[in-house]
Amino acid sequence: EARLEESGGGLVQAGGSLRLSCVVPGFTFDDYAIGWFRQAPGKEREGVGCISTSDGSTYYEDSMKGRFTISTNNAKNAVYLQMNNLKPEDTAVYYCAGDLPSDSGCYGVTYEYWGQGTQVTVSS
């Protein structure tokens, strides 16, 4: 069973950047799908994007394209979410999730394993 650990959240001013990390210690990471999600207060959870660790292919939700970048470092069993030009509406708890990839890589995966989340707060 995979255990996912997020880190890197915090308080940042609008226009700033943060990089979140998702580490899956002690797990075979070479062929895995990692998704990033977020949930703002009073709102439903929404997808940010995902990455397939086998080839680094990524997918982003349309609303997340341009400011968010997902990357992987398989040697460290880690996936990163780089967030630039942050806005107050990006304030949310950010989660990473993992599971085996689908035939389409990380797209369309129903993730079974989830991290505990990390808070991102963007002040105006």
Side-chain angles (χ1 to χ4, degrees), residues 23-70:
V23 177
V24 191
F27 191 77
T28 302
F29 206 64
D30 294 343
D31 188 13
Y32 208 55
I34 298 288
W36 282 100
F37 299 82
R38 70 183 188 182
Q39 187 165 20
K43 295 187 177 181
E44 292 188 354
R45 187 177 65 201
E46 62 177 339
V48 175
C50 63
I51 190 166
S52 177
T53 63
S54 62
D55 60 5
S57 60
T58 54
Y59 168 82
Y60 299 92
E61 298 294 336
D62 286 343
S63 60
M64 307 296 173
K65 292 178 181 177
R67 298 188 297 120
F68 294 82
T69 303
I70 300 172

Side-chain angles (χ1 to χ4, degrees), residues 9-123:
L11 174 64
V12 64
Q13 288 189 333
S17 298
L18 279 177
R19 189 179 79 155
L20 306 184
S21 299
C22 174
V23 177
V24 191
F27 191 77
T28 302
F29 206 64
D30 294 343
D31 188 13
Y32 208 55
I34 298 288
W36 282 100
F37 299 82
R38 70 183 188 182
Q39 187 165 20
K43 295 187 177 181
E44 292 188 354
R45 187 177 65 201
E46 62 177 339
V48 175
C50 63
I51 190 166
S52 177
T53 63
S54 62
D55 60 5
S57 60
T58 54
Y59 168 82
Y60 299 92
E61 298 294 336
D62 286 343
S63 60
M64 307 296 173
K65 292 178 181 177
R67 298 188 297 120
F68 294 82
T69 303
I70 300 172
S71 60
T72 185
N73 184 334
N74 287 6
K76 295 185 177 181
N77 276 26
V79 165
Y80 307 100
L81 175 63
Q82 177 68 42
M83 305 185 294
N84 298 326
N85 190 23
L86 284 163
K87 304 175 181 180
E89 51 264 42
D90 295 317
T91 294
V93 178
Y94 284 72
Y95 301 89
C96 64
D99 213 316
L100 294 175
S102 70
D103 292 340
S104 301
C106 69
Y107 180 75
V109 173
T110 300
Y111 293 95
E112 180 174 359
Y113 304 107
W114 292 77
Q116 80 287 352
T118 185
Q119 176 71 47
V120 171
T121 303
V122 185
S123 63

